[in-house]
């Protein structure tokens, strides 16, 4: 009788935890060696003002590696242009994550929503470490799974590591916002966020097919089914999910630090009292995401003044528009640049309140190659996505 590998118990325990509501995925999770796909990763250095990361590179099959790989957590594999595979011991990376192995529980939850049936063709967008492709291939067969990523190295190494334990789905290095490797799929799942929803996905999704994806810069998870009229209809799901945005280069564009230098302390072209309380956009996430849907691409920052505990919120845009809102006994809003960003935020909040502060999960999705939208419950508010 063959002895079970050292990782088998850890993988089975992970499956017990993450497939309670999706038991059909228990076997795949139990038999997919995540530690082989993520042998090293980046770990954020706490309280680092320069967003530094340190390399974690445990010995092969060590207790440390198995514990990390079979814990329901995301492991960041690439920061900026630097993959953990290419780092040397003691090296540090700086910046934002550009690839990761998503926490297994979220992968399973999304895959469960995808509701793949035997024989259907699955497109996995965002190969990353190859873990989701490995799960799909284990359960439904390698020949039914295609996985794509914009990064050729990620595709190359995922293909090699998957093959080490017998998994051979089709992996391609392509920009998934453009043309796809094939022209028809029954199921599409994206572990990168998008906006707009690529027309190529919707052209390739067969009638009755399903897409599960997230809207960039929000945690809105959408599930939609393709109709015979070429429109995929669905809803925003109740459980949030956040992913890195699709990228076209080795790294994401830089933060708006130049705009922040202006917005940090400068007196605005317009200075006024705010309309109502200054929101905490990290706690009032429905307002933050509605604002992103209405006024996309605004970078948000916040801080608390150490001397008196006052909060300050900045809104920054690439066109040089900015706003700074400071609370306290006499709250003030400063605005500058070509647009009035705080006016836009207050307009969104006012309209949301007039609509009864509807749950974002009550919004409907209509996706087509000609244009994709989220609609509020009464359909009076329509967001292009």
């Amino acid at each position: 009788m063959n002895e079970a590998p050292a990782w088998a118990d850890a993988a089975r325990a992970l499956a017990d935890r993450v497939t309670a509501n999706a038991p059909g995925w228990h076997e795949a999770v139990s038999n997919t060696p995540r530690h082989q796909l993520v042998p090293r990763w980046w770990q954020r250095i706490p309280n680092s003002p320069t967003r530094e990361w340190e390399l974690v590179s445990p010995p092969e099959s060590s207790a440390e590696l198995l514990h990390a790989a079979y814990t329901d957590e995301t492991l960041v594999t690439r920061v900026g242009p630097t993959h953990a595979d290419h780092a040397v011991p003691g090296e540090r990376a700086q910046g934002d994550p550009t690839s990761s192995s998503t926490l297994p529980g979220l992968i399973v939850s999304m895959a469960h929503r995808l509701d793949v049936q035997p024989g259907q063709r699955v497109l996995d967008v965002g190969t990353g470490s190859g873990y989701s492709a490995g799960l799909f291939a284990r359960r439904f067969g390698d020949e039914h799974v295609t996985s794509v990523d914009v990064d050729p190295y990620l595709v190359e190494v995922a293909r090699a590591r998957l093959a080490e334990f017998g998994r051979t789905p089709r992996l391609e290095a392509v920009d998934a916002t453009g043309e796809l490797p094939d022209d028809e799929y029954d199921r599409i799942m994206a572990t990168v966020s998008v906006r707009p929803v690529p027309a190529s996905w919707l052209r390739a999704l067969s009638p009755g097919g399903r897409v599960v994806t997230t809207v960039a810069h929000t945690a809105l998870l959408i599930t939609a089914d393709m109709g015979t009229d070429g429109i995929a209809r669905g809803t925003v799901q109740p459980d949030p999910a956040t992913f890195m945005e699709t990228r076209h280069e080795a790294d994401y564009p830089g933060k708006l630090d130049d705009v922040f230098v202006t917005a940090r302390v400068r007196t605005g072209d317009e200075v006024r009292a705010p309309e109502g309380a200054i929101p905490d956009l990290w706690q009032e996430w429905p307002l933050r995401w509605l604002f992103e849907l209405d006024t996309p691409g605004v970078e948000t920052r916040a801080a608390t003044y150490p001397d008196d505990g006052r909060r300050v919120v900045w809104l920054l845009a690439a066109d040089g528009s900015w706003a700074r809102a400071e609370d306290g006994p006499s709250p003030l809003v400063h605005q500058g640049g070509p647009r009035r960003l705080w006016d836009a935020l207050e307009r969104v909040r006012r309209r949301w309140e007039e609509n009864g502060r509807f749950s974002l999960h009550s919004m409907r999705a209509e996706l087509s190659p000609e244009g994709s939208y989220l609609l509020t419950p009464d359909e009076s508010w329509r967001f292009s996505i």
Side-chain angles (χ1 to χ4, degrees):
M1 182 176 178
N2 293 331
E3 184 177 351
W7 58 270
D9 287 343
R12 191 175 306 109
L14 174 64
D16 291 343
R17 290 193 298 275
V18 304
T19 68
N21 296 320
W25 286 96
H26 191 280
E27 193 276 341
V29 174
S30 296
N31 289 280
T32 300
R34 189 181 184 219
H35 69 287
Q36 290 183 225
L37 298 171
V38 196
R40 49 199 346 228
W41 59 93
W42 294 108
Q43 182 172 283
R44 182 72 179 266
I45 298 174
N47 303 316
S48 168
T50 55
R51 296 177 291 139
E52 282 191 308
W53 303 72
E54 62 185 353
L55 180 67
V56 182
S57 183
E60 184 178 351
S61 298
S62 65
E64 180 185 2
L65 174 58
L66 297 185
H67 173 75
Y70 299 102
T71 297
D72 190 24
E73 293 183 358
T74 292
L75 299 176
V76 172
T77 53
R78 196 172 185 272
V79 173
T82 309
H83 196 286
D85 288 350
H86 301 144
V88 298
E91 183 175 347
R92 292 187 173 186
Q94 185 173 330
D96 292 325
T98 48
S99 188
S100 68
S101 179
T102 302
L103 67 164
L106 179 54
I107 295 294
V108 168
S109 175
M110 291 176 64
H112 180 61
R113 291 187 185 282
L114 199 64
D115 192 29
V116 181
Q117 301 301 308
Q120 290 185 327
R121 296 152 295 183
V122 178
L123 177 65
D124 169 52
V125 180
T127 302
S129 69
Y131 184 67
S132 53
L135 292 179
F136 281 123
R138 172 78 190 193
R139 185 170 181 190
F140 298 108
D142 299 291
E143 68 277 16
H144 299 300
V145 179
T146 298
S147 184
V148 297
D149 202 294
V150 72
D151 190 321
Y153 175 74
L154 294 180
V155 169
E156 174 189 344
V157 73
R159 182 186 292 119
R161 287 172 175 166
L162 286 165
E164 288 175 357
F165 53 91
R167 295 270 63 89
T168 58
R170 180 181 181 184
L171 270 64
E172 298 287 347
V174 300
D175 181 346
T177 64
E179 294 307 309
L180 301 174
D182 287 314
D183 57 8
E184 191 169 6
Y185 297 94
D186 301 295
R187 296 289 189 269
I188 299 175
M189 187 178 92
T191 52
V192 291
S193 64
V194 294
R195 189 173 186 184
V197 178
S200 59
W201 298 8
L202 301 166
R203 287 194 297 266
L205 192 60
S206 61
R210 176 170 292 182
V211 59
V212 176
T213 188
T214 51
V215 180
H217 305 296
T218 77
L220 300 178
L221 175 65
I222 296 171
T223 298
D225 296 328
M226 179 58 74
T228 55
D229 58 356
I231 300 175
R233 296 177 173 86
T235 58
V236 175
Q237 299 300 304
D239 40 339
T242 57
F243 289 102
M244 302 168 203
E245 187 179 7
T246 51
R247 57 183 169 85
H248 308 285
E249 306 294 338
D251 200 354
Y252 295 108
K255 300 288 186 180
L256 298 175
D257 292 338
D258 291 344
V259 182
F260 183 61
V261 168
T262 300
R264 189 168 179 269
V265 295
R266 178 177 169 179
T267 299
D269 302 332
E270 175 187 285
V271 182
R272 63 171 175 83
E275 181 184 289
I278 293 174
D280 182 341
L281 295 176
W282 278 260
Q283 296 296 323
E284 299 181 51
W285 51 263
L287 174 60
R288 183 180 179 184
W289 297 343
L290 276 176
F291 180 53
E292 170 62 31
L293 291 175
D294 180 89
T295 310
V298 176
E299 185 178 312
T300 308
R301 302 190 188 189
T304 300
Y305 291 120
D307 53 347
D308 57 11
R310 287 183 302 126
R311 289 189 305 111
V312 57
V313 177
W314 292 274
L315 305 178
L316 314 171
D319 65 0
S321 300
W322 61 270
R324 182 179 74 255
E326 302 172 348
D327 71 1
S330 301
L332 281 179
V333 173
H334 295 255
Q335 300 188 91
R339 291 184 290 158
R340 296 292 178 257
L341 298 180
W342 201 263
D343 290 1
L345 176 63
E346 289 180 339
R347 174 179 51 77
V348 169
R349 180 168 62 179
R350 199 163 49 242
R351 187 166 181 180
W352 186 39
E353 290 172 346
E354 290 169 352
N355 281 267
R357 294 176 66 92
F358 57 84
S359 167
L360 271 59
H361 306 132
S362 65
M363 289 194 293
R364 296 190 302 104
E366 291 185 357
L367 317 177
S368 79
E370 288 70 42
S372 296
Y373 303 93
L374 286 180
L375 293 82
T376 58
D378 65 358
E379 301 188 10
S380 66
W381 207 352
R382 187 180 179 93
F383 302 101
S384 179
I385 60 169

